[in-house]
Amino acid sequence: MKIIKLMREKTLQVFSVLVIVYLMLPLAVIILLSFNKPKGRQNTSWNEFSTDAWTNICRDQTICSAFATSIKIGLLVTLISTIIGTMISFALIRHRYKGRGSTSLMVFLPLATPEVILGASLLALFLNIFIPLGFWTILLAQITFTISFVVVVVNARLAGMDSRLEQAAMDLYATPLQTFRYVTFPIALPGIMAAALLSFSLSFDDYIVTVFNSGRVVTFPIYIWSAAQRGIPPQVNVLASIMFLGSLLLVLIASLIIKRRKAIQV
Amino acid sequence: MSIAQESIIKKPIKKRFKRTPYLLVLPGIGWLFLFFLFPLSTLLATSLQKPAGLSPDDGYLPAFKVSNYTDALAEYYPQFFRAFLYSGIASVVCLLLAYPIAYYMAFRARKYRNLMLVLIVAPFFASFLLRTNAWKTILSGDGLVVSVLNSFNLLPQERILNTSLAVIAGLVYNFLPFMILPLYTSLEKIDPRLIEAAGDLYSPPSQRFWKVVWPLSLPGVISGTLLTFIPASGDYINAELLGSIKDKMIGNVIQSQFIDLRDYPTASALSFTFMAVILVMIYLYIRKAGTDDLV
């Protein structure tokens, strides 16, 4: 009986590790090929080790300007959608009001809409009212689909929060604004940060919605797509590796800080 | 006495804050009305327009041309069918892969739980186009995967790239995190004492799972399935990069009609039909689950 149980545990563990490996496999290929010196234009098979791409990321100026455009759009989208989404989330979790069900339906619908349709319908709108496509239309489109993700993530954090903490603050004569500033907001902050991180990654990585509404503006994913036909230069792999490893590092640092804080508190 | 006291205390607070929730949702809901619902209605209007001239440059005129729908469906129903078939298979595979790992993270992983979560989310930061493209390298004809599988004669077409298998595998890969995360969230909420209690009452492991864990994880299963099935059915990147011309999905058609051919009415009619199918699915889901657990 014990052996069977042990085997079951191990199977589960091995299976989980295999799924993680499956998810990591393409990233390993991307990082590996960032150190490659491709034979022809296509950087798909291993040829020769080289750090050229890493030391000379911006040799092709279009790569770096596309990357910068994506970062700029990503930051603006994150700022706006995090604020708007967090406000909705507070209303949904902290208040009982008429129309609450419709609010959550309205937030859910964009999540349930395929990206092609989101992109296409906005394009249809912009075409019909003659708004020129470009930076601002990308921004509008991306905010539209990131808001809902923000709400979902912040909701998860707020729903797990003990509302008695806020009641206690109120009982001790804190004004609603003080309660928010010193109790609710600090507790919700990790959720808001996670939501911001998610909306940045969604915006930065989005191709489908963006390409419908981009006009002549080239974002990083649009650059990759157009380069895919004639061969993606290893510099793109370098930038993707930096983003991936950088995000891992960021999370690591954050978790270390949290651990130290906890240790100090104890 | 105590009830009376409560109502005295609560009443003024309630009255004072009645406007707050509406003020909080106003910007967001306003935004979604303007840039989500309203565009969908322009999509409907566009889907009924008729061409003003022979070339797309002449533009389109408002009309009520229902034949846009019948023509588009008659021509593109295979791509519709394929989109739902491929994404259906991909969602089932995702569920089968995601459930064990979500279960492991929720009940067993302890120390490694956060690390696993990070590893599942981190790929989002490395471009999804580039990751899908990396599968091209992994699955290529001279790659390790194909040669191993071929030496066992496991591949009927002797290749993976440019087959429907590659497209479905790509969809599974891209949308797996969207299945794992909601499953994990709903599994993590389950009080492990419930499972222990079932064990104490002599319920065998399989029964403990099907009678306790599975029903409680259903919200995660449903939202995970929606979050994989819907985006996968509209995806065209995987079909474009990993599939052959025979693997095109409805997303490919909508994209090329809109962007390459600029046949806006046809593209809109296809999009709107597609959206209608999905709205019906959401309606069925809401009837079962209500609007409370939507987000």
Side-chain angles (χ1 to χ4, degrees), chain A residues 189-243:
Chain A
L189 195 60
I192 298 173
M193 301 278 275
L197 210 61
L198 179 67
S199 62
F200 181 81
S201 77
L202 286 170
S203 152
F204 185 80
D205 202 18
D206 181 72
Y207 174 74
I208 298 183
V209 173
T210 306
V211 78
F212 274 92
N213 299 293
S214 61
R216 284 175 195 283
V217 175
V218 177
T219 63
F220 194 49
I222 292 178
Y223 174 82
I224 295 174
W225 180 262
S226 60
Q229 322 297 328
R230 52 196 153 85
I232 298 171
Q235 275 84 357
V236 171
N237 290 45
V238 172
L239 288 170
S241 307
I242 291 174
M243 288 299 289

Side-chain angles (χ1 to χ4, degrees), chain B residues 37-113:
Chain B
L37 274 194
F38 182 57
L40 280 182
S41 67
T42 42
L43 197 66
L44 180 64
T46 311
S47 72
L48 296 166
Q49 286 173 354
K50 60 172 194 237
L54 290 173
S55 121
D57 290 327
D58 300 332
Y60 296 91
L61 295 171
F64 198 76
K65 202 172 161 226
V66 185
S67 63
N68 283 339
Y69 280 82
T70 47
D71 292 350
L73 281 178
E75 196 173 347
Y76 296 111
Y77 74 90
Q79 282 87 343
F80 252 112
F81 176 72
R82 204 174 289 134
F84 288 122
L85 180 72
Y86 285 5
S87 57
I89 298 173
S91 310
V92 173
V93 176
C94 276
L95 182 62
L96 293 176
L97 290 179
Y99 206 101
I101 187 172
Y103 185 91
Y104 181 75
M105 288 198 305
F107 294 115
R108 301 275 186 274
R110 284 186 210 104
K111 243 169 82 185
Y112 299 107
R113 180 190 281 181

Side-chain angles (χ1 to χ4, degrees), chain A residues 16-34:
Chain A
S16 304
V17 171
L18 285 178
V19 171
I20 297 274
V21 169
Y22 170 63
L23 286 173
M24 291 296 115
L25 202 59
L27 291 155
V29 171
I30 290 171
I31 296 173
L32 191 72
L33 288 179
S34 76

Side-chain angles (χ1 to χ4, degrees), chain A residues 8-251:
Chain A
R8 267 224 331 265
E9 296 290 280
K10 281 282 166 230
T11 324
L12 199 59
Q13 198 175 353
V14 170
F15 186 86
S16 304
V17 171
L18 285 178
V19 171
I20 297 274
V21 169
Y22 170 63
L23 286 173
M24 291 296 115
L25 202 59
L27 291 155
V29 171
I30 290 171
I31 296 173
L32 191 72
L33 288 179
S34 76
F35 290 104
N36 189 24
K37 192 175 190 171
K39 217 183 268 167
R41 282 186 146 270
Q42 292 287 347
N43 182 19
T44 49
S45 56
W46 184 255
N47 182 42
E48 195 188 318
F49 179 85
S50 136
T51 51
D52 282 1
W54 280 84
T55 50
N56 205 348
I57 300 177
C58 288
R59 197 175 55 193
D60 182 355
Q61 202 54 54
T62 47
I63 299 179
C64 280
S65 71
F67 190 78
T69 307
S70 277
I71 297 267
K72 204 156 78 185
I73 292 175
L75 291 176
L76 281 170
V77 167
T78 304
L79 182 72
I80 298 172
S81 65
T82 306
I83 293 174
I84 295 180
T86 305
M87 284 166 71
I88 297 183
S89 175
F90 271 104
L92 280 176
I93 302 289
R94 279 287 167 269
H95 296 272
R96 294 282 167 274
Y97 60 96
K98 221 178 148 196
R100 191 169 163 272
S102 342
T103 311
S104 76
L105 180 64
M106 191 69 192
V107 170
F108 176 75
L109 279 177
L111 288 178
T113 308
E115 280 194 72
V116 200
I117 295 181
L118 275 176
S121 63
L122 274 166
L123 176 61
L125 173 74
F126 295 143
L127 287 171
N128 276 312
I129 56 176
F130 304 105
I131 289 183
L133 301 176
F135 185 84
W136 295 103
T137 48
I138 297 178
L139 212 62
L140 287 180
Q142 291 193 352
I143 292 169
T144 306
F145 79 87
T146 43
I147 290 176
S148 303
F149 282 96
V150 172
V151 178
V152 172
V153 175
V154 180
N155 270 2
R157 175 78 190 175
L158 283 180
M161 172 184 168
D162 193 341
S163 61
R164 281 174 302 183
L165 289 170
E166 286 161 308
Q167 283 161 15
M170 299 277 225
D171 286 347
L172 295 167
Y173 298 104
T175 63
L177 213 66
Q178 282 171 327
T179 312
F180 177 79
R181 168 74 185 76
Y182 295 105
V183 181
T184 319
F185 186 69
I187 295 177
L189 195 60
I192 298 173
M193 301 278 275
L197 210 61
L198 179 67
S199 62
F200 181 81
S201 77
L202 286 170
S203 152
F204 185 80
D205 202 18
D206 181 72
Y207 174 74
I208 298 183
V209 173
T210 306
V211 78
F212 274 92
N213 299 293
S214 61
R216 284 175 195 283
V217 175
V218 177
T219 63
F220 194 49
I222 292 178
Y223 174 82
I224 295 174
W225 180 262
S226 60
Q229 322 297 328
R230 52 196 153 85
I232 298 171
Q235 275 84 357
V236 171
N237 290 45
V238 172
L239 288 170
S241 307
I242 291 174
M243 288 299 289
F244 170 66
L245 297 172
S247 71
L248 282 186
L249 201 70
L250 206 72
V251 175

